[in-house]
Amino acid sequence: MANYQFATTVLKAFDVLDCFETGTEELGISDIAAQVGLPASSVYRLIQSLEFEGLLFQNQENKKYYLGSKFYTLAGKGGRFQKFQQLASKYVDELADLTQETVNLAICSGDRIFNIYKKDSPYIVRPNFALNAPYPAHCTGTGRIFLSQMTDTALKWVYENSTADIPQPLPDFLDMLHKVRQNGWAQDDQEFTPGLRCVAAPVRAAGETVVFALSISAPTIRMTDEVYEQSRQLVLKYAALITEKLQAFCLTQSHE
């Protein structure tokens, strides 16, 4: 990993923070160490730095940790992103109503994606994605959208970090993601989980930066090959609509 010029400590610090799923959850060092796969001594050193910066606080009674006050100031700086999500959510709802299938809006953090907004299918048989929970990027449609934007150097790290779970050699993995970038859409045909199909497209903001991935997911019993193609066209259409709104918003903000 060092050969890829990543700040390993920074990545591990984010892994520690990702262990906290809510603002009220409290975790001990052993809990965190088990989740991130590091020795307790290494986790303790990371926590000391995060605590110094106000990103984690310790409950002095039970010695467990919870998210600190620094997150309030960081959240206050995310107004533009919150507006992005607000603008996009209308189209997520509209696409879900049109297809009657589950539509997700995802973001990426390293080699994981998080669904930050969704509208579920009304059918009983449907995918059950949790909001703000990490999912692997390499085998999900939304994740592949984000991975396709990365350099080959970064993708090699992703591959080596999940080699046991990626059933293809590195050259094929890179070639697949190069095609995703070239085509402008990605698919997951039962690779994330058996019986589930997904198709995704990028949503871009200022400077053509991919900020979201939009996807339609459905069980194979409803998403036939014909429906799959229809879903691909629809997700591209709606991703373009959201992109247009976000870029218009960015342009307005730059003129104020």
Side-chain angles (χ1 to χ4, degrees), residues 159-243:
Y159 183 87
E160 292 180 6
N161 202 43
S162 303
T163 301
D165 300 318
I166 300 177
Q168 58 192 145
L170 176 60
D172 292 348
F173 180 69
L174 294 175
D175 184 59
M176 179 266 292
L177 292 171
H178 293 163
K179 288 179 180 176
V180 168
R181 182 164 187 163
Q182 180 180 1
N183 295 335
W185 57 275
Q187 65 180 27
D188 153 27
D189 193 353
Q190 305 187 72
E191 291 153 290
F192 173 63
T193 191
L196 185 67
R197 278 180 151 183
C198 167
V199 61
V203 174
R204 303 175 186 272
E208 294 300 307
T209 301
V210 176
V211 292
F212 299 131
L214 180 72
S215 71
I216 302 172
S217 299
T220 54
I221 57 173
R222 291 196 301 274
M223 191 172 278
T224 62
D225 290 345
E226 181 181 0
V227 173
Y228 211 4
E229 174 58 23
Q230 293 171 351
S231 298
R232 184 185 70 83
Q233 294 178 22
L234 283 171
V235 82
L236 283 168
K237 174 184 176 181
Y238 275 80
L241 288 172
I242 300 172
T243 293

Side-chain angles (χ1 to χ4, degrees), residues 73-90:
T73 61
L74 293 175
K77 297 176 181 179
R80 170 182 278 202
F81 190 82
Q82 291 173 353
K83 183 62 176 179
F84 285 171
Q85 182 177 337
Q86 181 183 356
L87 290 170
S89 62
K90 167 190 172 183

